[in-house]
Amino acid sequence: MTSPQQTPSADPAESRTIVHVLRHGEVHNPKGILYGRLPGYRLSVTGQAQARTVASVLSAHDITHVVASPLQRAQETASPIADAHGLTLATDDNLIEAANDFEGLKVSVGDGALRRPRHWWKLRDPFTPSWGEPYLQIAHRMLAAVNAARVAAVGHEAVCVSHQLPVWTLRRFLQGERLWHDPRHRQCGLASLTSLVYEGDTLVDIVYSEPAGASDPRVTGA
């Protein structure tokens, strides 16, 4: 992705700032579970290559701030970008994966936990949702993280590394769309960028790109 040109300005209220919200790369998940916030889930070999690819694509960008979710896969995705720009990687808990009651279980359609009647009660409300962190809460914390990054990089570019559901929820919120959705239709591939372009405090554009290539949002372990 080629970012919009920066317009130098001494006044932060008139500065163009870009916050790239990056989904982490592919994760090593041989058991195919929903790992959520569980510790120890690192990038796969493919995921490491994806992280390096994004770092290479962003190497010519005016990035002055890199921040990531505290989870290992996000930290590993962010590190090559921070290193390429000589920056210290920051951590923001607001970028963490969404809480989910099915964490640690298999949740593929027709497989695992979703076939067990004792779990069906958790599926009663797809709009909040009933099985995990409310979408609106996710949107608000993600926006707080983006705003903090925008202030830290005012007049330049920042990278925030997070996870698929939080990134997609943030985008739908900013676009004024309903937050509940079909997960199979998320436009948020592995190592994809959802770039938020600001003029001062005003969001003027959202640009989506897949510098590491396309991926299927339905694949367990991504």
Side-chain angles (χ1 to χ4, degrees):
M1 182 188 70
T2 301
S3 66
Q5 292 296 315
Q6 299 277 344
T7 302
S9 173
D11 184 357
E14 299 177 358
S15 297
R16 169 163 291 202
T17 306
I18 303 174
V19 180
H20 303 283
V21 186
L22 170 63
R23 183 188 172 193
H24 63 78
E26 183 185 87
V27 176
H28 180 67
N29 182 22
K31 294 184 178 179
I33 68 167
L34 192 157
Y35 40 77
R37 296 179 176 180
L38 294 175
Y41 279 85
R42 58 179 173 81
L43 293 181
S44 66
V45 172
T46 296
Q48 293 169 14
Q50 290 170 335
R52 292 192 297 269
T53 296
V54 176
S56 177
V57 168
L58 294 176
S59 62
H61 286 241
D62 182 26
I63 293 169
T64 61
H65 183 67
V66 181
V67 60
S69 155
L71 296 175
Q72 182 176 349
R73 57 193 183 272
Q75 294 278 315
E76 291 177 349
T77 302
S79 290
I81 302 170
D83 291 346
H85 292 273
L87 300 171
T88 299
L89 174 59
T91 299
D92 189 335
D93 289 346
N94 280 325
L95 295 170
I96 200 168
E97 177 65 282
N100 193 305
D101 291 344
F102 291 103
E103 183 177 275
L105 303 175
K106 290 186 177 182
V107 293
S108 299
V109 176
D111 179 32
L114 299 184
R115 298 183 61 185
R116 301 171 190 166
R118 66 188 176 90
H119 289 305
W120 292 350
W121 173 247
K122 298 175 184 177
L123 304 174
R124 67 191 182 279
D125 172 18
F127 307 109
T128 303
S130 53
W131 58 82
E133 184 178 8
Y135 292 129
L136 189 58
Q137 179 175 307
I138 297 170
H140 285 171
R141 65 172 170 82
M142 286 292 291
L143 187 58
V146 165
N147 284 336
R150 178 174 57 83
V151 170
V154 64
H156 304 279
E157 301 180 41
V159 177
C160 296
V161 183
S162 187
H163 308 265
Q164 187 191 60
L165 176 55
V167 176
W168 184 238
T169 302
L170 171 67
R171 179 173 166 186
R172 293 183 69 86
F173 180 79
L174 292 174
Q175 293 177 164
E177 300 172 356
R178 60 174 171 75
L179 300 185
W180 62 271
H181 60 278
D182 185 339
R184 296 171 297 179
H185 299 154
R186 292 172 183 163
Q187 188 184 43
C188 189
L190 289 164
S192 62
L193 291 167
T194 299
S195 300
L196 311 177
V197 184
Y198 289 87
E199 295 284 0
D201 295 334
T202 303
L203 179 66
V204 297
D205 199 9
I206 299 176
V207 181
Y208 177 77
S209 62
E210 297 178 335
S215 60
D216 188 339
R218 298 169 296 180
V219 175
T220 301

